[in-house]
């Protein structure tokens, strides 16, 4: 679960956002009543398009757009795919310059919360919203649109593990053992993975576990795609905080070169979809949001991306997420920018990454 490095620094420029934009500072929680698609569609077609800033994978964005446009022809989707460390500062910079380009944004929960705090988003509750777990219900009113959730797992190369006469790793602690020294990778920017460990284990135990991992000479790899590609190639043999949905997809295609183990508790985080402040295409933005969060939209999220949905009707991959087998340990949805940066620095120091 990657997240932006130094989000407090990245959003410092938001201090002048409201004076430049002429809006009130802080969180807006007044939620307008939801409209039905048939009410939104005529105006949305007149607007012609919706602009979506997203951290969805490049390989999934086009298929998601096609599914929406099949449901609502006449409303074009223009997507700007941004990395998790670029989306927040991009939105803040634009709005600070009185440029309102984005209609809908979707990204990890923590940076979205910071965007809520600095007033760059507006609350909206679609007619259908998957229910949030109790641990995520402290998000401000109107901002709990979990478009999907991410879980982390230990990915490993079965053939390589067997050839080296190792036991498949089934717990994070396994990778702190001497026989795994230098044979696994870790993402040093995965702050919400570390937050999940804190939620599941408590701060002191989580920090000690990360220190043990750091002392076992992990390879530092910030790209989730790269880390899994390397595991498939057998160098290194494992990744401790891989995206489970990606590992599951690769395991189906290359079962001799990719397998994964979920841990209990299971690190989990939410990705949120929200409407930008002063969205230039407000009806199209609401229509797109309504579709994303609906049963149909969530079915497409699961079917296209293999992400996990909180929608009770969605057919999730049970090998990736099953709370009856692996208790989710959620990252912190509401966290100050300073605390966020403190945890990130602490995490990276423990890994000897700084």
């Amino acid at each position: 679960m990657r997240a932006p490095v130094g989000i407090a620094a990245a959003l410092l420029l938001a201090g002048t956002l409201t004076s430049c934009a002429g809006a009130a500072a802080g969180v807006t929680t007044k939620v307008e009543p939801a409209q039905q698609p048939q009410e939104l569609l005529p105006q949305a077609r007149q607007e012609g398009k919706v602009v979506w800033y997203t951290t969805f994978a490049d390989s999934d964005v086009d298929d998601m757009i096609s599914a929406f446009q099949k449901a609502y022809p006449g409303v074009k989707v223009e997507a700007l795919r941004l990395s998790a460390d670029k989306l927040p500062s991009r939105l803040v910079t634009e709005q600070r310059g009185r440029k309102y380009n984005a209609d809908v944004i979707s990204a990890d929960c923590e940076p979205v919360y910071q965007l809520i705090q600095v007033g760059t988003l507006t609350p909206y509750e679609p007619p259908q919203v998957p229910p949030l777990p109790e641990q995520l219900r402290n998000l401000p009113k109107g901002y709990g649109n979990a478009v999907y959730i991410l879980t982390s797992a230990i990915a490993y190369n079965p053939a390589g593990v067997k050839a080296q006469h190792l036991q498949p790793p089934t717990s994070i602690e396994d990778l702190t053992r001497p026989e795994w020294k230098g044979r696994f990778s870790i993402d040093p920017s995965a702050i919400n993975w570390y937050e999940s460990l804190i939620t599941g284990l408590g701060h002191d135990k989580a920090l000690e576990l990360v220190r043990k991992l750091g002392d076992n000479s992990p390879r530092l790899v910030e790209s989730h795609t790269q880390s899994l590609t390397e595991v498939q190639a057998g160098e290194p043999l494992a990744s401790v905080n891989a995206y489970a949905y990606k590992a599951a997809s690769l395991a189906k295609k290359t079962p001799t070169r990719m397998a994964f183990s979920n841990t209990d508790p299971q690190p989990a985080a939410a990705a949120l979809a929200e409407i930008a402040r002063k969205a230039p295409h407000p009806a199209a933005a609401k229509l797109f949001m309504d579709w994303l969060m609906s049963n149909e939209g969530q079915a497409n999220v699961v079917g296209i991306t293999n992400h996990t949905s909180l929608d009770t009707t969605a057919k999730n991959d049970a090998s990736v997420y099953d709370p009856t087998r692996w208790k989710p340990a959620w990252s912190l949805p509401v966290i100050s920018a300073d605390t966020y940066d403190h945890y990130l620095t602490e995490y990276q120091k423990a890994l000897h990454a700084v």
Side-chain angles (χ1 to χ4, degrees):
M1 306 172 193
R2 290 185 66 190
V5 175
I7 195 169
L11 295 181
L12 277 177
L13 76 167
T16 55
L17 172 66
T18 52
S19 61
C20 292
V27 180
T28 302
T29 57
K30 183 179 179 181
V31 184
E32 296 180 7
Q35 296 173 263
Q36 295 301 313
Q38 60 268 25
E39 298 175 292
L40 292 168
L41 189 55
Q43 186 180 344
R45 283 180 172 156
Q46 187 174 4
E47 293 169 354
K49 67 178 182 181
V50 58
V51 179
W52 180 28
Y53 285 11
T54 182
T55 58
F56 267 74
D58 284 330
S59 57
D60 299 327
V61 169
D62 287 346
D63 288 341
M64 289 296 299
I65 290 173
S66 295
F68 170 75
Q69 292 181 163
K70 183 178 180 180
Y72 297 106
V75 184
K76 183 180 178 182
V77 180
E78 293 182 2
L80 179 61
R81 201 282 174 185
L82 295 162
S83 60
D85 60 332
K86 296 292 191 296
L87 191 152
S89 57
R90 172 68 177 256
L91 189 64
V92 168
T93 300
E94 287 180 350
Q95 292 195 9
R96 184 176 181 237
R98 299 185 182 182
K99 294 179 181 179
Y100 300 93
N101 299 324
D103 291 302
V104 174
I105 68 101
S106 58
D108 292 349
C109 191
E110 289 90 338
V112 171
Y113 177 68
Q114 301 306 322
L115 290 172
I116 294 168
Q117 291 295 103
V118 298
T120 58
L121 304 177
T122 191
Y124 182 66
E125 293 180 353
Q128 293 180 326
V129 181
L132 291 174
E134 183 178 352
Q135 297 90 332
L136 302 182
R137 291 177 189 166
N138 56 346
L139 287 161
K141 181 176 174 58
Y143 295 102
N145 303 308
V147 66
Y148 59 79
I149 63 170
L150 286 164
T151 59
S152 291
I154 301 170
Y156 63 94
N157 185 308
V161 167
K162 183 177 180 180
Q164 295 297 318
H165 307 290
L166 296 169
Q167 291 297 316
T170 59
S171 70
I172 297 171
E173 288 80 0
D174 286 347
L175 297 179
T176 68
R177 295 174 180 172
E179 61 267 29
W180 278 98
K181 189 176 183 69
R183 288 176 160 175
F184 69 98
S185 65
I186 193 167
D187 182 354
S189 66
I191 179 61
N192 42 11
W193 178 77
Y194 179 50
E195 291 173 10
S196 295
L197 295 187
I198 293 172
T199 299
L201 304 175
H203 177 267
D204 292 349
K205 289 183 178 179
L207 179 57
E208 180 62 22
L209 179 57
V210 173
R211 282 175 176 158
K212 289 179 179 179
L213 290 170
D215 290 343
N216 220 22
S217 304
R219 180 179 296 189
L220 303 179
V221 182
E222 293 193 17
S223 166
H224 284 278
T225 299
Q226 179 184 343
S227 68
L228 288 172
T229 300
E230 290 178 351
V231 170
Q232 278 187 305
E235 184 56 42
L237 292 175
S239 174
V240 68
N241 51 6
Y243 281 150
Y245 83 96
K246 280 183 173 286
S249 295
L250 292 174
K252 292 173 184 175
K253 297 175 183 177
T254 58
T256 62
R257 295 188 290 124
M258 177 63 62
F260 66 100
S261 298
N262 292 316
T263 59
D264 191 13
Q266 182 182 41
L272 303 180
E274 307 294 345
I275 293 181
R277 185 164 64 92
K278 293 189 177 181
H281 311 100
K286 292 176 182 177
L287 187 68
F288 184 61
M289 277 286 296
D290 290 356
W291 178 82
L292 266 182
M293 304 311 299
S294 69
N295 297 149
E296 178 186 350
Q298 289 294 288
N300 277 282
V301 168
V302 173
I304 291 170
T305 72
N306 201 40
H307 279 309
T308 296
S309 171
L310 291 172
D311 189 323
T312 55
T313 68
K315 297 180 180 178
N316 292 318
D317 185 342
S319 72
V320 172
Y321 180 77
D322 182 349
T324 65
R325 298 177 63 190
W326 310 289
K327 182 180 179 181
W330 295 96
S331 67
L332 305 173
V334 173
I335 183 173
S336 72
D338 288 340
T339 301
Y340 182 101
D341 280 353
H342 170 74
Y343 280 156
L344 179 61
T345 301
E346 179 179 81
Y347 172 63
Q348 293 183 334
K349 284 183 177 179
L351 292 176
H352 311 295
V354 291

